[in-house]
Amino acid sequence: MATTQKSLIDSVPKGLFIGGVWRDATGGATLAVEDPSSGSTLTHVADATVADGKAALDAAVGAQAEWAATPPRDRGEILRAAFELITERAEDFATLMTLEMGKTLAESRGEVTYGAEFFRWFSEEAVRIHGRWSTAPNGATRLLTMKKPVGPTLMITPWNFPLAMGTRKIGPAIAAGCTMVVKPASQTPLTMLALAELLRECGLPAGVLNVITTRHTGDVMEPLIRDPRLRKLTFTGSTGIGRKLVEQSAEQLLRVSMELGGNAPFIVFEDADLDRAVDGAMLAKMRNIGEACTAANRFFVHESVAEEFAQKFAARMSGLTIGKGTRKGVDVGPLIDAKARDGVTELVEDAKAKGGTVVTGGGQVKGRGYFFEPTVITGVPMNARMMSEEIFGPVAPITTFGTEAEAIAKANSTEFGLASYVFTNDLSRVIRVSEALEYGMIGINQGIISNPAAPFGGVKASGFGREGGFEGIDEYLETTYVGIAP
């Protein structure tokens, strides 16, 4: 590890951030943070207990009233200052993410820009929280509505976007006046710990943000979810875990927002610009090494252009350079851990056994680290596991369709409904297909659709609630109606 990288890791707090103070876990336990490019240990961070989780919630509850009463402009200015400081330290954040998550520095730099933008966006939204005033239809009452912060919030964030998945939740909560307890993924805690320290530097009051790291997520989180003082739960992760959390949250009737799994279709119609479609496919598939819930998971290509598309796509995929994300010239980093790599391998072997043909890639990379070859597979049948399960890796299964109706039916034949992608030059088709697709987000002739100014979220088993856009702050606000007799 380069000296600069070691010093960067050494500079990150390794404890629990509770009530504005960094401290060890009760009992002093720690958990290892692994470098997925080598399998070696980067460092250790505190491993929180149930008592630590309760202490974090105690701090959030204790700070809630004063934070809610803080002027919106003051809350917004803290976010703006944090945006500027993240931007100033962009290279450090990018390097930290690459070391603990594996993505290339170019990918990490893009995430820093994207993640920081949520703080700038919601710094501007903080001062635009408003209600309304109206007269009842019979004229006898004046109707006043006002917005109030939901209250203490538990945030559980995933490992694949260590910064952006935090800022996307923390930003609107700060803007709305909510305190919070954040539990980052145990695989990638360093970025969140660095972010917590940055917010402390920016003047965020003690107790507003509390961060606990633990390998015992279920044991530590469930008591908080069942605690009547908690008023909101927000989670980004798998649908299976999301279902369990929703079930637990029902006891307290918590406000819940869930951004869960995806199975994004990538549809290429016969009139599409194929070069543009291939460019979009590279972005939609290979962003974040394919480890994204918005990643293109199933490629449906019109039978008249399928062979040409597959050849061009495979040529691009085979030309990618695999290696440690911090190295110059690397395009594809490792998957997050051995379990992820082995899971991708199983899906590829299943597709091959059911008739799929590997055009390029198809296997693990020998040596240290959790690398998998960028892969294109054609002729993948609909009963292959990777057509119904998230791949979460650099693998693109291609199947064909003949009619628009068939493409829509295949795209919708999943329990998930997060992101989808359509490539066509027919405006009327854009309208028809967009209205027919059962997805919360649709990209037309583009491979990346996430934007801090747009509402991010899905339907069906991909969850509910929205993050980003004007809608994002509403998830952290309650509406109070006041009837006034004139």
Side-chain angles (χ1 to χ4, degrees):
M1 185 187 299
T3 302
T4 54
Q5 294 175 8
K6 183 178 186 306
S7 62
L8 175 61
I9 290 175
D10 289 344
S11 71
V12 177
K14 309 300 190 303
L16 309 176
F17 188 58
I18 299 176
V21 177
W22 292 101
R23 66 173 182 78
D24 293 337
T26 302
T30 63
L31 63 91
V33 181
E34 189 179 34
D35 174 359
S37 71
S38 66
S40 60
T41 298
L42 289 171
T43 188
H44 291 79
V45 299
D47 187 6
T49 65
V50 172
D52 296 324
K54 181 180 182 299
L57 181 58
D58 289 344
V61 171
Q64 178 58 53
E66 185 175 351
W67 182 239
T70 300
R73 177 68 72 191
D74 293 351
R75 301 197 299 261
E77 288 300 320
I78 291 173
L79 286 173
R80 178 70 193 203
F83 160 76
E84 292 174 352
L85 198 52
I86 291 171
T87 302
E88 180 182 316
R89 299 177 184 175
E91 197 63 17
D92 284 348
F93 272 102
T95 302
L96 196 59
M97 276 193 286
T98 293
L99 291 173
E100 67 175 344
M101 186 267 166
K103 70 180 79 178
T104 65
L105 278 174
E107 288 265 9
S108 292
R109 289 173 184 133
E111 182 179 341
V112 172
T113 300
Y114 173 60
E117 192 64 32
F118 283 105
F119 278 3
R120 176 157 66 169
W121 174 265
F122 286 110
S123 75
E124 298 162 346
E125 289 301 292
V127 297
R128 294 178 174 85
I129 299 170
H130 59 83
R132 61 184 173 87
W133 173 274
S134 60
T135 301
N138 64 3
T141 303
R142 302 299 179 263
L143 313 179
L144 170 66
T145 62
M146 61 180 73
K147 298 289 186 178
K148 299 178 181 178
V150 170
T153 299
L154 175 60
M155 302 174 171
I156 304 176
T157 61
W159 52 261
N160 55 343
F161 291 96
L163 180 70
M165 298 302 95
T167 58
R168 200 162 73 182
K169 298 178 188 296
I170 293 169
I174 288 176
C178 295
T179 60
M180 65 213 88
V181 176
V182 180
K183 207 297 291 183
S186 59
Q187 298 97 323
T188 57
L190 299 178
T191 302
M192 179 59 68
L193 295 173
L195 180 63
E197 176 62 15
L198 181 145
L199 283 164
R200 187 193 65 78
E201 291 179 42
C202 291
L204 190 68
V208 175
L209 173 68
N210 305 276
V211 179
I212 55 173
T213 52
T214 180
R215 76 182 82 198
H216 307 291
T217 302
D219 292 340
V220 177
M221 294 297 101
E222 185 171 353
L224 304 188
I225 294 171
R226 298 189 186 279
D227 192 309
R229 299 174 300 166
L230 188 73
R231 294 314 316 140
K232 178 176 171 62
L233 167 66
T234 175
F235 169 76
T236 298
S238 72
T239 296
I241 294 176
R243 286 189 170 108
K244 293 179 182 177
L245 293 175
V246 170
E247 182 179 354
Q248 292 173 12
S249 73
E251 181 176 315
Q252 302 300 338
L253 296 177
L254 290 180
R255 279 281 294 273
V256 178
S257 52
M258 293 276 150
E259 195 269 280
L260 306 177
N263 191 7
F266 189 101
I267 307 172
V268 181
F269 286 98
E270 66 273 21
D271 66 322
D273 179 331
L274 284 192
D275 289 331
R276 188 175 185 182
V278 171
D279 288 342
M282 292 299 296
L283 290 171
K285 178 71 265 182
M286 294 305 296
R287 182 192 180 205
N288 220 55
I289 326 170
E291 293 176 314
C293 51
T294 56
N297 208 66
R298 302 167 296 152
F299 289 79
F300 301 113
V301 186
H302 191 271
E303 55 196 13
S304 66
V305 296
E307 184 175 353
E308 182 181 359
F309 174 84
Q311 289 175 349
K312 290 185 174 183
F313 191 16
R316 291 280 296 277
M317 291 281 273
S318 64
L320 298 175
T321 300
I322 304 170
K324 184 178 176 66
T326 53
R327 291 176 184 160
K328 188 176 181 180
V330 168
D331 302 305
V332 184
L335 298 179
I336 188 64
D337 54 27
K339 180 181 178 182
R341 181 195 58 190
D342 294 344
V344 171
T345 302
E346 289 179 8
L347 293 177
V348 170
E349 292 303 313
D350 173 77
K352 288 163 58 179
K354 290 175 179 172
T357 300
V358 174
V359 182
T360 188
Q364 299 181 9
V365 178
K366 294 181 179 179
R368 299 176 67 193
Y370 310 119
F371 297 92
F372 198 93
E373 298 172 326
T375 300
V376 175
I377 310 176
T378 58
V380 180
M382 291 297 290
N383 68 341
R385 284 177 54 197
M386 65 172 58
M387 301 301 278
S388 58
E389 300 177 25
E390 274 193 289
I391 300 171
F392 243 61
V395 177
I398 298 176
T399 191
T400 61
F401 67 87
T403 65
E404 182 179 303
E406 182 185 357
I408 292 169
K410 285 185 173 180
N412 286 341
S413 63
T414 173
E415 68 171 339
F416 300 103
L418 188 61
S420 56
Y421 305 89
V422 177
F423 281 75
T424 178
N425 286 319
D426 185 333
L427 180 58
S428 295
R429 173 176 280 154
V430 168
I431 296 171
R432 291 194 305 271
V433 174
S434 296
E435 291 179 346
L437 287 175
E438 298 168 350
Y439 291 85
M441 299 178 289
I442 303 171
I444 304 297
N445 294 326
Q446 60 179 342
I448 292 182
I449 55 177
S450 300
N451 191 303
F456 186 104
V459 298
K460 301 195 296 187
S462 290
F464 39 80
R466 293 296 182 267
E467 295 182 323
F470 301 114
E471 296 84 353
I473 200 167
D474 287 339
E475 299 289 336
Y476 296 88
L477 295 169
E478 296 283 15
T479 299
T480 295
Y481 152 63
V482 181
I484 304 171

